[in-house]
Amino acid sequence: MSVKIGDHIDLGAFPLLLAPMEDVSDPPFRFVCKQNGVDMMYTEFISSEGLIRDAAKSRQKLDIFEYERPIGIQIFGSEIDHMRMASEISSQAGPDLIDINYGCPVKNVACRGAGASLLQDIDKMVAMTKAVVEGTNLPVTVKTRLGWDDNTKNVYEVAERLQDVGIKALSIHGRTRAQMYKGQADWTMIRDVKKNPRVKIPIFGNGDVDSVEKAAAWRQEYEVDGIMIGRAAIGYPWIFREIKHFFETGEHLAGPTIKERVDVCKTHLTKSIEWKGDKTGIFEMRRHYANYFKGIPNFKEYRMRLVSLPTLAEILEVLEEIEHQFDAELIFS
């Protein structure tokens, strides 16, 4: 059976989703993930205050492209009225859905009453969600965590009450806010939410899926409707095609060659420059090189060169040198 969000978004039998990640999930990164088979993606989270003030950085994050569909715009904020307005503004950008972030644990979000902070005030979370649902004609989904800390794991209540005010899917990161990204994600509570007979919407699991084996095992063990992958896709968008291939055939797909790594890195870089301009595009790409070439021996020297070069031509020259320096057929696990 296909997983559906609302009436019009059909994600197939067991979708793989790209988690929204600040400073990562921009259009250039989304492009290379889409090329490798991801089923649904989201923008970086966008501040409701920034959208209302018409801040350039927030507005730029609304950029979406036809080839990315289905895609959701993710918003966050602490004021109910402002979140409703943000949902109206975001809807005008033409996404397939609006997603609300109730999971971000970082201090400058959670300590200002947004993101995971709402897990401390479920009544406000419900009222905010209702306002967003009423502010758009698009399906609304939510991403959240198990709870604020070990003493307040309230995701069961969250799932039921948010479904009651109209959300169409729920993604759950298997950690509390207090855990941040430390320790192991606990998917048992995600499974319990999915098995709750009152919960009819799709439930997606998130947290620690970084291999084909884990994806396959957790699909069976935790009975979720799909898996959301975040950090494991950074510098390795091939994870989506590898998991899909395993689901379809039971066989492991060979990892990317050096040539594939270089080609995708070049594509990411080119798209980054196209979207952000030369200076910013080159600068912001610097965080990705180490991940694209993880496992290559003695890569530090190349990375130091890549992060210091100011022009596209010079960077492409080094990338070609990397390709020729190492066996083009060398595959990294």
Side-chain angles (χ1 to χ4, degrees):
M1 279 183 63
S2 280
V3 174
K4 291 188 175 178
I5 297 177
D7 296 326
H8 304 296
I9 304 174
D10 188 334
L11 298 178
F14 189 83
L16 302 178
L17 287 64
L18 176 66
M21 294 176 282
E22 176 68 352
D23 292 330
V24 176
S25 302
D26 57 13
F29 179 69
R30 299 198 303 262
F31 182 85
V32 297
C33 289
K34 190 69 177 180
Q35 285 190 312
N36 282 279
V38 68
D39 293 298
M40 191 163 81
M41 306 185 290
Y42 305 83
T43 62
E44 300 170 79
F45 70 176
I46 308 175
S47 160
S48 58
E49 307 298 325
L51 288 177
I52 292 165
R53 291 197 315 270
D54 205 21
K57 188 175 181 189
S58 297
R59 283 284 178 172
Q60 189 186 33
K61 289 181 182 179
L62 291 174
D63 285 356
I64 54 175
F65 300 89
E66 280 303 311
Y67 62 78
E68 298 183 299
R69 297 192 186 280
I71 185 161
I73 288 176
Q74 191 188 69
I75 57 175
F76 74 99
S78 59
E79 300 295 328
I80 293 171
D81 290 347
H82 289 182
M83 284 290 281
R84 182 190 175 111
M85 291 167 65
S87 75
E88 293 170 0
I89 295 166
S90 299
S91 298
Q92 291 166 14
D96 297 286
L97 60 88
I98 303 295
D99 189 77
I100 309 173
N101 182 310
Y102 292 138
C104 181
V106 300
K107 193 174 286 186
N108 66 357
V109 173
C111 293
R112 292 180 182 173
S117 174
L118 276 300
L119 286 162
Q120 298 176 100
D121 189 346
I122 304 304
D123 288 343
K124 183 178 178 182
M125 179 194 282
V126 171
M128 183 178 285
T129 305
K130 187 171 187 287
V132 171
V133 169
E134 290 171 353
T136 180
N137 59 359
L138 297 171
V140 174
T141 63
V142 162
K143 185 167 192 281
T144 191
R145 289 182 169 236
L146 302 178
W148 181 255
D149 57 26
D150 282 344
N151 300 317
T152 55
K153 289 183 178 177
N154 46 18
V155 72
Y156 304 133
E157 179 188 354
V158 165
E160 289 189 5
R161 293 185 66 187
L162 297 192
Q163 177 183 260
D164 290 346
V165 294
I167 72 165
K168 301 302 183 187
L170 179 65
S171 300
I172 305 169
H173 183 107
R175 290 181 173 85
T176 62
R177 188 272 168 176
Q179 283 181 276
M180 301 293 285
Y181 295 98
K182 296 178 182 145
Q184 287 188 317
D186 176 8
W187 282 52
T188 56
M189 290 183 74
I190 304 175
R191 177 179 58 201
D192 292 343
V193 171
K194 176 60 196 168
K195 293 179 86 169
N196 177 354
R198 265 210 69 206
V199 174
K200 308 295 185 189
I201 57 175
I203 301 297
F204 303 121
N206 174 231
D208 294 353
V209 177
D210 55 10
S211 68
V212 168
E213 293 78 9
K214 212 175 269 188
W218 290 10
R219 176 183 184 177
Q220 297 298 321
E221 187 175 351
Y222 298 112
E223 303 172 44
V224 290
D225 293 296
I227 288 173
M228 179 179 277
I229 295 171
R231 288 174 290 171
I234 300 174
Y236 203 86
W238 302 278
I239 192 167
F240 298 107
R241 76 174 187 187
E242 289 177 10
I243 291 171
K244 285 191 157 187
H245 184 81
F246 188 81
F247 285 167
E248 289 163 10
T249 67
E251 297 173 357
H252 286 271
L253 193 65
T257 61
I258 287 286
K259 181 175 182 348
E260 284 180 290
R261 287 176 181 259
V262 169
D263 286 347
V264 172
C265 186
K266 281 181 184 175
T267 299
H268 192 165
L269 171 62
T270 305
K271 290 285 180 186
S272 187
I273 290 169
E274 282 175 12
W275 189 57
K276 303 170 186 174
D278 285 10
K279 188 176 178 184
T280 305
I282 287 170
F283 178 76
E284 293 193 356
M285 187 64 194
R286 290 174 179 174
R287 65 172 70 99
H288 292 284
Y289 295 124
N291 290 304
Y292 271 116
F293 299 104
K294 197 181 262 182
I296 291 183
N298 307 314
F299 184 70
K300 187 177 179 184
E301 176 204 331
Y302 288 106
R303 189 183 72 81
M304 296 305 288
R305 287 166 65 191
L306 287 168
V307 301
S308 64
L309 293 171
T311 69
L312 174 62
E314 290 171 295
I315 296 167
L316 291 177
E317 204 172 290
V318 174
L319 289 172
E320 280 161 22
E321 188 182 325
I322 290 167
E323 182 180 333
H324 294 130
Q325 177 71 26
F326 298 96
D327 180 359
E329 296 304 314
L330 187 59
I331 293 170
F332 291 93
S333 57

